């Protein structure tokens, strides 16, 4: 019997329905908007994505707060007291201190619960790329695989999780220091849409550009067609920040052009969305090279 739980954080952008289906635990990260600190729960009880992105469009700013080890300890202690082990799949260390906080908490909790197993995987993934890895891990646990086997599979496969991203408004990338103000202004005027991916260090890099939104979306699909591993066997993921029509277009193309077995759609929550702004669309799949 596999008495362990899979824990992730809300930057994985798994919604309430998927979280319930997968039977995983999610640590809600926090964000600050309109002078209020809110938590990004899977059920979006503090603020819905629709309301969040409308606030951004109206000129509000949102920032994110670093998680601390005590939040992990609070979440995990009752689980360990109940005699269950824990596998943590964390947000990329290349983008956040979340993984480090989970490791510190794990070290503390191993001392308090020496008979329990607590393993941490730095997914080097973000948004529904992290969520996709969690989804596959949950399938393996459901199939009866041990904590160690699932951990090892995640470590062996996380560098195959491809993240291909386009954003609609370059100004959010400028605020995050990803591009210069000059590049953002010129790109906005010329309708240039950047193509971004997550590299082997789990960091975002701008690697291309397209003229217009449709061309950018099609370029994401071309990346999948060029690099996906056995797409007919894959459940791929698409995430979006309040641009459902674009996400549905990508999902349809992943099935019709790339032959994906299935596609899951996810909302980009406020934690990731604070840095992308509205109009971000992303495809996630197993491919080589990343």
């Amino acid at each position: 019997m596999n008495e362990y739980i899979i824990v992730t954080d809300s930057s994985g952008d798994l919604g309430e329905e998927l979280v319930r289906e997968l039977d995983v635990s999610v640590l809600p990260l926090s964000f600050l908007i309109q002078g209020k600190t809110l938590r990004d729960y899977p059920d979006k009880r503090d603020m819905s994505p629709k309301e969040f992105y409308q606030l951004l469009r109206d000129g509000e700013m949102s920032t994110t707060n670093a998680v601390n080890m005590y939040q992990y300890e609070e979440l995990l202690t009752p689980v360990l007291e109940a005699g269950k082990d824990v596998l943590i799949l964390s947000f990329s260390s290349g983008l956040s201190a979340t993984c480090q906080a989970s490791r510190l908490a794990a070290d503390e909790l191993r001392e308090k619960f020496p008979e329990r197993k607590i393993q941490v995987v730095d997914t080097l993934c973000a948004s529904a790329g992290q969520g996709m890895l969690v989804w596959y891990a949950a399938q393996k646990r459901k199939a009866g695989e041990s904590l160690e086997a699932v951990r090892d599979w995640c470590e062996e496969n996380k560098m195959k999780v491809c993240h291909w991203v386009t954003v609609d408004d370059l100004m959010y990338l400028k605020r995050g220091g990803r591009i210069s103000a000059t590049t953002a202004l010129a790109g906005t005027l010329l309708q240039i849409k950047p193509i971004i991916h997550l590299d082997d260090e789990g960091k975002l890099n701008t690697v291309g550009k397209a003229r217009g939104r449709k061309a950018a979306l099609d370029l994401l699909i071309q990346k999948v067609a060029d690099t996906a591993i056995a797409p007919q066997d894959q459940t791929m993921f698409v995430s979006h920040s309040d641009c459902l029509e674009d996400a549905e277009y990508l999902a349809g193309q992943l099935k019709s052009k790339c032959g994906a077995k299935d596609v899951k759609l996810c909302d980009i929550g406020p934690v990731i969305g604070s840095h992308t702004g509205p109009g971000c669309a992303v495809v996630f799949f197993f491919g080589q090279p990343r």
Side-chain angles (χ1 to χ4, degrees), residues 16-44:
E16 180 182 20
E17 185 176 334
L18 271 176
V19 167
R20 186 168 55 247
E21 173 191 319
L22 299 177
D23 190 24
V24 297
S25 293
V26 177
L27 178 70
L29 304 183
S30 61
F31 60 102
L32 178 67
I33 192 167
Q34 293 184 309
K36 297 180 291 186
T37 297
L38 305 176
R39 301 289 287 276
D40 184 16
Y41 292 96
D43 63 6
K44 309 304 178 189

mmCIF file of all heavy atoms in Angstrom, residues 16-44:
data_model
loop_
_atom_site.group_PDB
_atom_site.id
_atom_site.type_symbol
_atom_site.label_atom_id
_atom_site.label_comp_id
_atom_site.label_asym_id
_atom_site.label_seq_id
_atom_site.Cartn_x
_atom_site.Cartn_y
_atom_site.Cartn_z
ATOM 1 N N GLU A 16 -8.984 23.433 -9.135
ATOM 2 C CA GLU A 16 -9.642 22.637 -8.094
ATOM 3 C C GLU A 16 -10.048 21.255 -8.599
ATOM 4 O O GLU A 16 -9.858 20.243 -7.909
ATOM 5 C CB GLU A 16 -10.865 23.392 -7.581
ATOM 6 C CG GLU A 16 -11.622 22.667 -6.490
ATOM 7 C CD GLU A 16 -12.858 23.408 -6.045
ATOM 8 O OE1 GLU A 16 -13.356 24.268 -6.803
ATOM 9 O OE2 GLU A 16 -13.334 23.137 -4.930
ATOM 10 N N GLU A 17 -10.593 21.180 -9.802
ATOM 11 C CA GLU A 17 -11.069 19.899 -10.324
ATOM 12 C C GLU A 17 -9.924 18.906 -10.506
ATOM 13 O O GLU A 17 -10.035 17.735 -10.120
ATOM 14 C CB GLU A 17 -11.790 20.122 -11.655
ATOM 15 C CG GLU A 17 -12.436 18.865 -12.223
ATOM 16 C CD GLU A 17 -13.225 19.143 -13.492
ATOM 17 O OE1 GLU A 17 -13.677 20.286 -13.673
ATOM 18 O OE2 GLU A 17 -13.376 18.207 -14.295
ATOM 19 N N LEU A 18 -8.806 19.360 -11.072
ATOM 20 C CA LEU A 18 -7.664 18.473 -11.269
ATOM 21 C C LEU A 18 -7.040 18.077 -9.932
ATOM 22 O O LEU A 18 -6.629 16.922 -9.748
ATOM 23 C CB LEU A 18 -6.616 19.136 -12.155
ATOM 24 C CG LEU A 18 -6.753 18.934 -13.662
ATOM 25 C CD1 LEU A 18 -5.691 19.728 -14.408
ATOM 26 C CD2 LEU A 18 -6.670 17.453 -14.026
ATOM 27 N N VAL A 19 -6.955 19.017 -9.012
ATOM 28 C CA VAL A 19 -6.392 18.707 -7.690
ATOM 29 C C VAL A 19 -7.202 17.619 -7.001
ATOM 30 O O VAL A 19 -6.654 16.671 -6.413
ATOM 31 C CB VAL A 19 -6.341 19.991 -6.818
ATOM 32 C CG1 VAL A 19 -6.059 19.645 -5.353
ATOM 33 C CG2 VAL A 19 -5.276 20.943 -7.353
ATOM 34 N N ARG A 20 -8.521 17.730 -7.096
ATOM 35 C CA ARG A 20 -9.390 16.721 -6.490
ATOM 36 C C ARG A 20 -9.254 15.372 -7.207
ATOM 37 O O ARG A 20 -9.157 14.324 -6.576
ATOM 38 C CB ARG A 20 -10.836 17.203 -6.530
ATOM 39 C CG ARG A 20 -11.821 16.298 -5.788
ATOM 40 C CD ARG A 20 -13.171 16.967 -5.614
ATOM 41 N NE ARG A 20 -13.740 17.416 -6.865
ATOM 42 C CZ ARG A 20 -13.921 18.695 -7.196
ATOM 43 N NH1 ARG A 20 -13.562 19.657 -6.359
ATOM 44 N NH2 ARG A 20 -14.459 19.026 -8.352
ATOM 45 N N GLU A 21 -9.199 15.420 -8.545
ATOM 46 C CA GLU A 21 -9.066 14.197 -9.336
ATOM 47 C C GLU A 21 -7.754 13.485 -9.038
ATOM 48 O O GLU A 21 -7.711 12.246 -8.921
ATOM 49 C CB GLU A 21 -9.126 14.544 -10.816
ATOM 50 C CG GLU A 21 -8.837 13.390 -11.760
ATOM 51 C CD GLU A 21 -8.645 13.870 -13.189
ATOM 52 O OE1 GLU A 21 -9.391 14.764 -13.633
ATOM 53 O OE2 GLU A 21 -7.726 13.351 -13.861
ATOM 54 N N LEU A 22 -6.685 14.235 -8.877
ATOM 55 C CA LEU A 22 -5.354 13.655 -8.666
ATOM 56 C C LEU A 22 -5.100 13.299 -7.207
ATOM 57 O O LEU A 22 -4.168 12.562 -6.909
ATOM 58 C CB LEU A 22 -4.279 14.638 -9.140
ATOM 59 C CG LEU A 22 -4.308 15.026 -10.622
ATOM 60 C CD1 LEU A 22 -3.240 16.064 -10.928
ATOM 61 C CD2 LEU A 22 -4.128 13.796 -11.508
ATOM 62 N N ASP A 23 -5.896 13.844 -6.301
ATOM 63 C CA ASP A 23 -5.717 13.624 -4.870
ATOM 64 C C ASP A 23 -4.323 14.067 -4.423
ATOM 65 O O ASP A 23 -3.564 13.310 -3.830
ATOM 66 C CB ASP A 23 -5.954 12.147 -4.502
ATOM 67 C CG ASP A 23 -6.020 11.927 -2.999
ATOM 68 O OD1 ASP A 23 -6.336 12.888 -2.269
ATOM 69 O OD2 ASP A 23 -5.737 10.783 -2.562
ATOM 70 N N VAL A 24 -3.993 15.328 -4.761
ATOM 71 C CA VAL A 24 -2.724 15.907 -4.340
ATOM 72 C C VAL A 24 -3.004 17.082 -3.415
ATOM 73 O O VAL A 24 -4.111 17.631 -3.386
ATOM 74 C CB VAL A 24 -1.881 16.373 -5.545
ATOM 75 C CG1 VAL A 24 -1.506 15.179 -6.416
ATOM 76 C CG2 VAL A 24 -2.597 17.438 -6.372
ATOM 77 N N SER A 25 -1.992 17.475 -2.655
ATOM 78 C CA SER A 25 -2.106 18.634 -1.771
ATOM 79 C C SER A 25 -1.344 19.801 -2.380
ATOM 80 O O SER A 25 -0.248 19.624 -2.916
ATOM 81 C CB SER A 25 -1.538 18.314 -0.387
ATOM 82 O OG SER A 25 -2.333 17.347 0.269
ATOM 83 N N VAL A 26 -1.921 20.997 -2.272
ATOM 84 C CA VAL A 26 -1.332 22.188 -2.888
ATOM 85 C C VAL A 26 -1.115 23.264 -1.828
ATOM 86 O O VAL A 26 -2.052 23.650 -1.122
ATOM 87 C CB VAL A 26 -2.233 22.736 -4.011
ATOM 88 C CG1 VAL A 26 -1.635 24.017 -4.588
ATOM 89 C CG2 VAL A 26 -2.420 21.694 -5.108
ATOM 90 N N LEU A 27 0.122 23.738 -1.730
ATOM 91 C CA LEU A 27 0.421 24.865 -0.863
ATOM 92 C C LEU A 27 0.095 26.154 -1.610
ATOM 93 O O LEU A 27 0.700 26.445 -2.645
ATOM 94 C CB LEU A 27 1.902 24.865 -0.474
ATOM 95 C CG LEU A 27 2.343 26.032 0.407
ATOM 96 C CD1 LEU A 27 1.754 25.886 1.813
ATOM 97 C CD2 LEU A 27 3.858 26.130 0.471
ATOM 98 N N PRO A 28 -0.881 26.950 -1.135
ATOM 99 C CA PRO A 28 -1.236 28.181 -1.846
ATOM 100 C C PRO A 28 -0.193 29.274 -1.605
ATOM 101 O O PRO A 28 0.071 29.646 -0.457
ATOM 102 C CB PRO A 28 -2.596 28.552 -1.252
ATOM 103 C CG PRO A 28 -2.583 27.950 0.114
ATOM 104 C CD PRO A 28 -1.745 26.714 0.039
ATOM 105 N N LEU A 29 0.411 29.760 -2.665
ATOM 106 C CA LEU A 29 1.340 30.871 -2.559
ATOM 107 C C LEU A 29 0.550 32.177 -2.502
ATOM 108 O O LEU A 29 -0.653 32.203 -2.752
ATOM 109 C CB LEU A 29 2.302 30.861 -3.745
ATOM 110 C CG LEU A 29 3.086 29.551 -3.939
ATOM 111 C CD1 LEU A 29 4.065 29.682 -5.105
ATOM 112 C CD2 LEU A 29 3.812 29.139 -2.669
ATOM 113 N N SER A 30 1.219 33.269 -2.182
ATOM 114 C CA SER A 30 0.508 34.525 -1.957
ATOM 115 C C SER A 30 0.898 35.592 -2.975
ATOM 116 O O SER A 30 1.954 35.536 -3.603
ATOM 117 C CB SER A 30 0.754 35.036 -0.536
ATOM 118 O OG SER A 30 2.128 35.279 -0.326
ATOM 119 N N PHE A 31 -0.005 36.565 -3.126
ATOM 120 C CA PHE A 31 0.240 37.703 -4.000
ATOM 121 C C PHE A 31 -0.387 38.944 -3.368
ATOM 122 O O PHE A 31 -1.307 38.845 -2.556
ATOM 123 C CB PHE A 31 -0.316 37.454 -5.412
ATOM 124 C CG PHE A 31 -1.803 37.210 -5.484
ATOM 125 C CD1 PHE A 31 -2.677 38.211 -5.892
ATOM 126 C CD2 PHE A 31 -2.338 35.973 -5.145
ATOM 127 C CE1 PHE A 31 -4.048 37.987 -5.963
ATOM 128 C CE2 PHE A 31 -3.709 35.734 -5.209
ATOM 129 C CZ PHE A 31 -4.571 36.743 -5.613
ATOM 130 N N LEU A 32 0.143 40.096 -3.742
ATOM 131 C CA LEU A 32 -0.305 41.365 -3.159
ATOM 132 C C LEU A 32 -0.890 42.240 -4.251
ATOM 133 O O LEU A 32 -0.222 42.553 -5.240
ATOM 134 C CB LEU A 32 0.878 42.084 -2.497
ATOM 135 C CG LEU A 32 0.603 43.463 -1.885
ATOM 136 C CD1 LEU A 32 -0.326 43.330 -0.689
ATOM 137 C CD2 LEU A 32 1.914 44.120 -1.478
ATOM 138 N N ILE A 33 -2.158 42.628 -4.094
ATOM 139 C CA ILE A 33 -2.820 43.487 -5.067
ATOM 140 C C ILE A 33 -3.820 44.373 -4.328
ATOM 141 O O ILE A 33 -4.447 43.939 -3.355
ATOM 142 C CB ILE A 33 -3.520 42.647 -6.163
ATOM 143 C CG1 ILE A 33 -3.959 43.526 -7.329
ATOM 144 C CG2 ILE A 33 -4.682 41.847 -5.604
ATOM 145 C CD1 ILE A 33 -4.371 42.756 -8.574
ATOM 146 N N GLN A 34 -3.913 45.622 -4.727
ATOM 147 C CA GLN A 34 -4.795 46.608 -4.084
ATOM 148 C C GLN A 34 -4.544 46.697 -2.579
ATOM 149 O O GLN A 34 -5.470 46.877 -1.798
ATOM 150 C CB GLN A 34 -6.261 46.275 -4.358
ATOM 151 C CG GLN A 34 -6.684 46.422 -5.810
ATOM 152 C CD GLN A 34 -8.162 46.184 -6.005
ATOM 153 O OE1 GLN A 34 -8.705 45.177 -5.554
ATOM 154 N NE2 GLN A 34 -8.836 47.116 -6.685
ATOM 155 N N GLY A 35 -3.287 46.537 -2.194
ATOM 156 C CA GLY A 35 -2.922 46.645 -0.791
ATOM 157 C C GLY A 35 -3.294 45.452 0.060
ATOM 158 O O GLY A 35 -3.137 45.494 1.284
ATOM 159 N N LYS A 36 -3.761 44.364 -0.559
ATOM 160 C CA LYS A 36 -4.179 43.183 0.183
ATOM 161 C C LYS A 36 -3.326 41.978 -0.207
ATOM 162 O O LYS A 36 -3.039 41.774 -1.390
ATOM 163 C CB LYS A 36 -5.649 42.852 -0.087
ATOM 164 C CG LYS A 36 -6.621 43.929 0.355
ATOM 165 C CD LYS A 36 -8.051 43.532 0.057
ATOM 166 C CE LYS A 36 -8.329 43.525 -1.436
ATOM 167 N NZ LYS A 36 -9.771 43.272 -1.729
ATOM 168 N N THR A 37 -2.930 41.209 0.793
ATOM 169 C CA THR A 37 -2.218 39.961 0.534
ATOM 170 C C THR A 37 -3.241 38.830 0.456
ATOM 171 O O THR A 37 -4.010 38.605 1.400
ATOM 172 C CB THR A 37 -1.193 39.659 1.642
ATOM 173 O OG1 THR A 37 -0.202 40.697 1.646
ATOM 174 C CG2 THR A 37 -0.515 38.317 1.391
ATOM 175 N N LEU A 38 -3.268 38.145 -0.664
ATOM 176 C CA LEU A 38 -4.220 37.072 -0.911
ATOM 177 C C LEU A 38 -3.473 35.778 -1.196
ATOM 178 O O LEU A 38 -2.286 35.784 -1.529
ATOM 179 C CB LEU A 38 -5.124 37.433 -2.100
ATOM 180 C CG LEU A 38 -5.870 38.764 -2.003
ATOM 181 C CD1 LEU A 38 -6.633 39.038 -3.291
ATOM 182 C CD2 LEU A 38 -6.819 38.768 -0.810
ATOM 183 N N ARG A 39 -4.183 34.659 -1.091
ATOM 184 C CA ARG A 39 -3.574 33.359 -1.352
ATOM 185 C C ARG A 39 -4.158 32.773 -2.634
ATOM 186 O O ARG A 39 -5.349 32.925 -2.930
ATOM 187 C CB ARG A 39 -3.840 32.392 -0.181
ATOM 188 C CG ARG A 39 -3.317 32.872 1.163
ATOM 189 C CD ARG A 39 -1.814 32.840 1.267
ATOM 190 N NE ARG A 39 -1.296 31.502 1.393
ATOM 191 C CZ ARG A 39 -1.198 30.816 2.544
ATOM 192 N NH1 ARG A 39 -1.648 31.353 3.670
ATOM 193 N NH2 ARG A 39 -0.691 29.608 2.560
ATOM 194 N N ASP A 40 -3.300 32.093 -3.371
ATOM 195 C CA ASP A 40 -3.701 31.494 -4.648
ATOM 196 C C ASP A 40 -4.122 30.035 -4.417
ATOM 197 O O ASP A 40 -3.397 29.108 -4.742
ATOM 198 C CB ASP A 40 -2.534 31.579 -5.640
ATOM 199 C CG ASP A 40 -2.903 31.068 -7.021
ATOM 200 O OD1 ASP A 40 -4.109 30.941 -7.298
ATOM 201 O OD2 ASP A 40 -1.982 30.790 -7.815
ATOM 202 N N TYR A 41 -5.321 29.858 -3.873
ATOM 203 C CA TYR A 41 -5.862 28.510 -3.632
ATOM 204 C C TYR A 41 -6.330 27.889 -4.950
ATOM 205 O O TYR A 41 -6.744 28.607 -5.866
ATOM 206 C CB TYR A 41 -7.046 28.584 -2.670
ATOM 207 C CG TYR A 41 -6.707 28.978 -1.262
ATOM 208 C CD1 TYR A 41 -6.832 30.310 -0.843
ATOM 209 C CD2 TYR A 41 -6.268 28.038 -0.337
ATOM 210 C CE1 TYR A 41 -6.522 30.683 0.447
ATOM 211 C CE2 TYR A 41 -5.955 28.401 0.969
ATOM 212 C CZ TYR A 41 -6.093 29.725 1.354
ATOM 213 O OH TYR A 41 -5.781 30.093 2.633
ATOM 214 N N PRO A 42 -6.301 26.566 -5.064
ATOM 215 C CA PRO A 42 -6.803 25.918 -6.289
ATOM 216 C C PRO A 42 -8.240 26.291 -6.629
ATOM 217 O O PRO A 42 -8.602 26.359 -7.803
ATOM 218 C CB PRO A 42 -6.663 24.425 -5.979
ATOM 219 C CG PRO A 42 -5.529 24.348 -5.008
ATOM 220 C CD PRO A 42 -5.679 25.576 -4.145
ATOM 221 N N ASP A 43 -9.073 26.529 -5.608
ATOM 222 C CA ASP A 43 -10.469 26.892 -5.877
ATOM 223 C C ASP A 43 -10.660 28.400 -6.060
ATOM 224 O O ASP A 43 -11.784 28.868 -6.259
ATOM 225 C CB ASP A 43 -11.393 26.381 -4.772
ATOM 226 C CG ASP A 43 -11.107 26.995 -3.402
ATOM 227 O OD1 ASP A 43 -10.259 27.910 -3.309
ATOM 228 O OD2 ASP A 43 -11.731 26.560 -2.413
ATOM 229 N N LYS A 44 -9.530 29.148 -6.019
ATOM 230 C CA LYS A 44 -9.549 30.599 -6.274
ATOM 231 C C LYS A 44 -10.512 31.340 -5.357
ATOM 232 O O LYS A 44 -11.161 32.315 -5.758
ATOM 233 C CB LYS A 44 -9.891 30.885 -7.742
ATOM 234 C CG LYS A 44 -9.044 30.105 -8.733
ATOM 235 C CD LYS A 44 -7.562 30.324 -8.537
ATOM 236 C CE LYS A 44 -6.734 29.509 -9.507
ATOM 237 N NZ LYS A 44 -5.289 29.544 -9.195
#
